[in-house]
Amino acid sequence: MPTPQELRNLKIVTKAFGIPDSHKLATYQKRGGFEAFRKALTLQPAAITDEVKKSNLRGRGGAGFPTGMKWSFIPKDAKLVYLVVNADESEPGTCKDRELLAKDPHLLIEGMMIASYALGCKHAYIYIRGEMMREAKVVQGAIDEAYAAGWLGKNHPAAGGGGTFNLDITLHRGAGAYICGEETGLLNSLEGKRGWPRLKPPFPAIKGLFNAPTVVNNVETIMNIPEILTRGGEWFAGLGVGKSGGTRIVCVSGHVAKPGVFELPMGITFRDLIYDVCGGIPGGRALKGVIPGGSSMPPLDASEIDVPCEFDALMTDPRIKDVEVKPGVPFDLGGGRKLKTMAGSGGIVVFDDTTDVVALCARIMEFYAHESCGQCTPCREGSGWLARVCKRLARGQGEPGDVELLANIANGIGGNTICALGDAAAWPMLGFLTKFRADFEARIQPKKIGLPGRAGATTEAA
Amino acid sequence: MPLEFSAQSKQRVERLLTRYPTKQAALLPVLHVAQEEFGHLPDEVIELVSRTLDLPAAHIYGVVTFYTMFHREKHGRNELMVCTNISCMLRGAYPILEHIEKRLGIKPGETTPDGVFTLVEEECLAACANAPMMICGDDYFLDLTPEKVDVALDELRRRSQQQQPQPVGTKTIFGMGPNGAKT
Ligand SMILES: Cc1cc2nc3c(=O)[nH]c(=O)nc-3n(C[C@H](O)[C@H](O)[C@H](O)COP(=O)(O)O)c2cc1C
Ligand code: SF4
Ligand code: FES
């Protein structure tokens, strides 16, 4: 077992950071690139999935779903299987995949080769966000190099004589739509349609890209695979905490002295992250709160930062308050389950005590209203309504009843939509109200006598 | 004469078609090629893509209008995408955006009269640890201050004066019925 200090310094997916020309194949091979893939070919595909299961690797795209389990949902007798890497990174506060793509694209390619071998995939796609033009060039360059060297394409030289393994990888550029990060919206987009999320079930593992069984994984998730093969699932699981194996990449932004993208132990607390790794809050100001995993996650207040930024801790640690619909009434996630928050995409946004949290929350609501694809009424209408009411509160023109109104709208969206974008608007709204209710109430104008209350019936433009 | 792709674009389209099991799946990449060649996506270009991929123009129109990076109108040679989402907002993105508006004399969504800049207020561009920030093509401008913005704008203007102006594309005729019939 590594010591805590060794663990702090251990890098799995950010090993290439700081190495000159780290995106080139020659550099990657000098660092031992493709050794893990060679090892993979000596194993049965099912044994690789087992190793990934043992590693406790969890999806880094947002939901933290166990990767090995996701792979095992692919029907055993499937003739055609697709692997799709989600490189659409656009959850506000998240900036890790972009760096990973730019600095170590061959690690992604090797991870995809191993995953494809395990899944029986012959053609894998990388769906990269349209705005990432520079990264698209780097990744395409890496793919071209890998083809030229014979790692990709037919008649694989390393395939151990039999030539049983061959893989094509195609880079597919999106064109500006946050919703294409949602895996089924992504699949529709990849098929040349609007990026409208699909009703589930069927899940992609059964009916995904071009109706074939499909695994969708995040960039960071796949980049962990080669090291899991090299050092074993048990080793990887041992680095982590509880059911979350490996290290964690966090992107820290906002009011810290040294913002950045860091690979750190799973168990690191937000306090250590802010005050130790990131040099504290500039100007000696005090912390007001932290968004722990991208803008769709309920915030933590300053009293809740001793919790580690690990998946399960953020969902269950008793030191984090339950998100409420109104004081004393917890929000029901379904079946009586309560919501605290989630580790999400690793986008950690720190805000100090000078922050106008109502304006911050309004900006988040504006984002989800803008990005709602419009298929379901609660999300389409509700997200715009949340944004409008939040914005008028931020302007100091809130009306009596607005805080309750916001909670009611959010409560009506949560759990009632095709995809999780609805929740992504509702959860932070309820979270901000739970943690910073007084800030919202302070923006309400006392009602003028004689005017009927028109809570929410405003027609002002968003 | 109906519009055609240049020989080079044609070759790119051919290659793209080999990467997907259906022609439709090549739609986004082909639209990127088309927009690169023609500057924007007016009806004539949509019809060209429709012929190329055997897809109804109405489907393509629906796709074009869904994605923010595809545009029906002509844009400036430099598309300035300024992020104002939370991490950038917390570090002064709105004053930066205002500074750019003043320097260029345009609001988000508008193009300077000389066609050099189109200003776009963007959502998070995945460089939050270097907020506030903007991108232009494949150039990133990070940790912005008003002074850095001035340097960036001067540099971009200088570069675009050296470059040949982009082809103007064809006139936009707005509105399209089912299967591409003009309404
Ligand atoms: C609205 C929405 C946006 C999402 N955006 C992304 C994204 O940009 N990148 C990503 O990897 N996952 C995103 N996800 C999660 C994906 O749907 C999917 O769970 C993930 O790509 C699976 O990969 P993983 O298991 O490796 O995490 C998003 C989900 C939702 C609901
Ligand atoms: S929840 Fe929102 S984004 Fe998701 S499918 Fe429904 S309308 Fe579209
Ligand atoms: S919030 Fe501006 S780049 Fe992410």
Side-chain angles (χ1 to χ4, degrees):
Chain A
M1 267 313 288
T3 66
Q5 195 51 46
E6 282 164 3
L7 199 53
R8 227 351 137 84
N9 296 330
L10 180 88
K11 307 293 172 223
I12 296 175
V13 278
T14 59
K15 264 194 288 215
F17 285 31
I19 297 179
D21 283 333
S22 59
H23 62 287
K24 298 221 172 104
L25 180 62
T27 320
Y28 186 66
Q29 280 184 311
K30 231 181 277 159
R31 284 165 41 214
F34 298 105
E35 285 307 318
F37 171 70
R38 283 205 177 92
K39 182 170 175 189
L41 289 181
T42 65
L43 303 169
Q44 288 300 317
I48 295 174
T49 302
D50 282 342
E51 210 56 39
V52 175
K53 272 191 190 157
K54 252 191 256 163
S55 75
N56 284 346
L57 173 63
R58 294 171 70 163
R60 305 294 201 245
F65 193 84
T67 306
M69 196 194 296
K70 184 184 269 187
W71 291 10
S72 68
F73 292 155
I74 296 289
K76 298 281 165 290
D77 54 352
K79 293 272 170 306
L80 183 66
V81 175
Y82 287 109
L83 168 71
V84 179
V85 170
N86 190 341
D88 193 51
E89 184 166 69
S90 24
E91 169 83 354
T94 316
C95 51
K96 62 185 179 75
D97 297 339
R98 192 176 66 73
E99 300 245 349
L100 295 174
L101 293 166
K103 295 192 174 135
D104 210 355
H106 286 288
L107 181 61
L108 177 68
I109 292 173
E110 183 173 5
M112 291 174 74
M113 288 163 65
I114 298 169
S116 296
Y117 174 70
L119 295 165
C121 164
K122 299 276 172 263
H123 196 146
Y125 291 89
I126 304 172
Y127 187 101
I128 192 171
R129 181 171 175 187
E131 287 88 346
M132 293 185 191
M133 292 180 227
R134 173 192 286 211
E135 293 72 23
K137 282 184 192 162
V138 174
V139 176
Q140 188 60 54
I143 293 173
D144 293 344
E145 275 187 313
Y147 268 104
W151 291 108
L152 296 175
K154 304 267 176 287
N155 302 320
H156 203 286
T164 48
F165 181 83
N166 54 65
L167 176 69
D168 283 307
I169 294 182
T170 297
L171 180 71
H172 186 94
R173 282 183 62 211
Y178 167 75
I179 196 57
C180 294
E182 195 280 340
E183 56 186 11
T184 58
L186 184 154
L187 296 177
N188 273 343
S189 179
L190 191 39
E191 290 179 8
K193 304 174 193 157
R194 290 175 166 233
W196 276 342
R198 301 172 181 174
L199 263 176
K200 288 157 281 226
F203 288 94
I206 306 302
K207 203 170 165 207
L209 187 62
F210 308 117
N211 286 327
T214 301
V215 165
V216 182
N217 271 138
N218 171 262
V219 170
E220 183 193 340
T221 311
I222 292 293
M223 284 172 82
N224 276 296
I225 300 293
E227 194 83 357
I228 291 174
L229 256 280
T230 306
R231 311 193 60 168
E234 241 162 75
W235 172 83
F236 191 87
L239 302 176
V241 175
K243 293 228 155 56
S244 307
T247 54
R248 181 86 223 239
I249 301 204
V250 290
C251 332
V252 192
S253 65
H255 297 147
V256 287
K258 288 182 282 179
V261 177
F262 309 98
E263 182 169 6
L264 292 166
M266 272 289 170
I268 192 163
T269 65
F270 287 91
R271 184 179 300 283
D272 278 354
L273 196 56
I274 296 167
Y275 292 99
D276 186 12
V277 178
C278 296
I281 296 171
R285 291 189 297 267
L287 179 72
K288 175 113 186 173
V290 185
I291 295 170
S295 63
S296 60
M297 294 307 156
L300 302 172
D301 67 26
S303 72
E304 297 171 319
I305 60 168
D306 290 306
V307 172
C309 56
E310 182 269 329
F311 295 98
D312 292 323
L314 283 165
M315 290 196 278
T316 56
D317 196 294
R319 288 171 290 183
I320 306 176
K321 288 181 265 305
D322 293 329
V323 169
E324 297 171 333
V325 179
K326 58 182 166 213
V329 182
F331 171 68
D332 185 1
L333 263 180
R337 283 178 308 131
K338 292 173 187 163
L339 170 68
K340 292 183 186 289
T341 188
M342 280 169 78
S345 59
I348 293 172
V349 186
V350 179
F351 47 101
D352 69 21
D353 60 354
T354 64
T355 308
D356 178 347
V357 284
V358 182
L360 180 65
C361 180
R363 184 66 184 86
I364 295 174
M365 293 307 126
E366 212 183 341
F367 171 71
Y368 291 106
H370 180 236
E371 300 298 338
S372 167
C373 83
Q375 280 191 106
C376 352
T377 315
C379 170
R380 182 187 62 234
E381 302 301 325
S383 58
W385 199 0
L386 288 176
R388 286 194 300 276
V389 177
C390 261
K391 270 163 60 180
R392 83 177 172 222
L393 277 163
R395 284 195 305 266
Q397 295 166 347
E399 295 167 17
D402 271 358
V403 169
E404 292 74 16
L405 174 66
L406 285 172
N408 277 339
I409 303 168
N411 195 32
I413 303 172
N416 293 323
T417 54
I418 294 177
C419 87
L421 189 138
D423 298 327
W427 291 2
M429 186 66 244
L430 292 169
F432 269 91
L433 289 176
T434 304
K435 308 289 167 74
F436 308 109
R437 195 175 179 91
D439 293 76
F440 285 80
E441 281 170 344
R443 300 301 179 85
I444 294 173
Q445 297 278 339
K447 196 160 164 185
K448 290 193 196 82
I449 293 171
L451 277 178
R454 331 175 284 131
T458 174
T459 51
E460 82 190 68
Chain B
M1 261 288 283
L3 197 63
E4 288 298 340
F5 279 121
S6 66
Q8 200 202 357
S9 296
K10 246 187 212 144
Q11 214 178 16
R12 285 176 70 191
V13 169
E14 286 307 314
R15 250 213 322 267
L16 284 169
L17 284 171
T18 65
R19 309 301 304 184
Y20 304 91
T22 67
K23 279 189 172 176
Q24 177 168 307
L27 178 54
L28 262 63
V30 170
L31 285 171
H32 279 302
V33 171
Q35 188 159 288
E36 268 170 48
E37 176 167 355
F38 301 106
H40 63 304
L41 301 169
D43 289 0
E44 288 85 336
V45 178
I46 289 184
E47 276 162 28
L48 167 63
V49 175
S50 162
R51 270 183 281 127
T52 309
L53 297 178
D54 294 325
L55 287 173
H59 174 82
I60 300 172
Y61 180 78
V63 166
V64 166
T65 52
F66 184 81
Y67 297 92
T68 55
M69 287 180 72
F70 294 137
H71 39 261
R72 300 265 298 150
E73 283 84 29
K74 203 169 162 270
H75 275 202
R77 286 194 287 286
N78 296 290
E79 194 146 330
L80 277 187
M81 300 182 170
V82 185
C83 172
T84 60
N85 213 304
I86 50 174
S87 307
C88 289
M89 172 187 176
L90 288 170
R91 292 179 86 104
Y94 282 106
I96 288 288
L97 181 62
E98 260 170 51
H99 179 78
I100 299 173
E101 288 175 9
K102 266 204 218 104
R103 272 286 314 253
L104 299 180
I106 52 172
K107 295 273 172 209
E110 295 175 355
T111 302
T112 52
D114 58 5
V116 175
F117 290 108
T118 296
L119 181 59
V120 184
E121 183 181 349
E122 260 292 334
E123 301 296 5
C124 176
L125 288 163
C128 324
N130 295 96
M133 58 79 68
M134 64 180 180
I135 61 178
C136 181
D138 45 17
D139 284 316
Y140 282 80
F141 300 95
L142 304 172
D143 304 303
L144 288 177
T145 58
E147 297 72 42
K148 283 197 195 170
V149 166
D150 291 345
V151 174
L153 293 183
D154 290 344
E155 167 66 14
L156 288 169
R157 189 178 289 277
R158 193 184 56 76
R159 259 195 253 163
S160 66
Q161 274 156 358
Q162 289 171 346
Q163 212 170 277
Q164 288 292 315
Q166 269 191 339
V168 175
T170 46
K171 213 171 96 239
T172 302
I173 308 158
F174 211 86
M176 192 173 287
N179 300 320
K182 299 269 161 47
T183 50

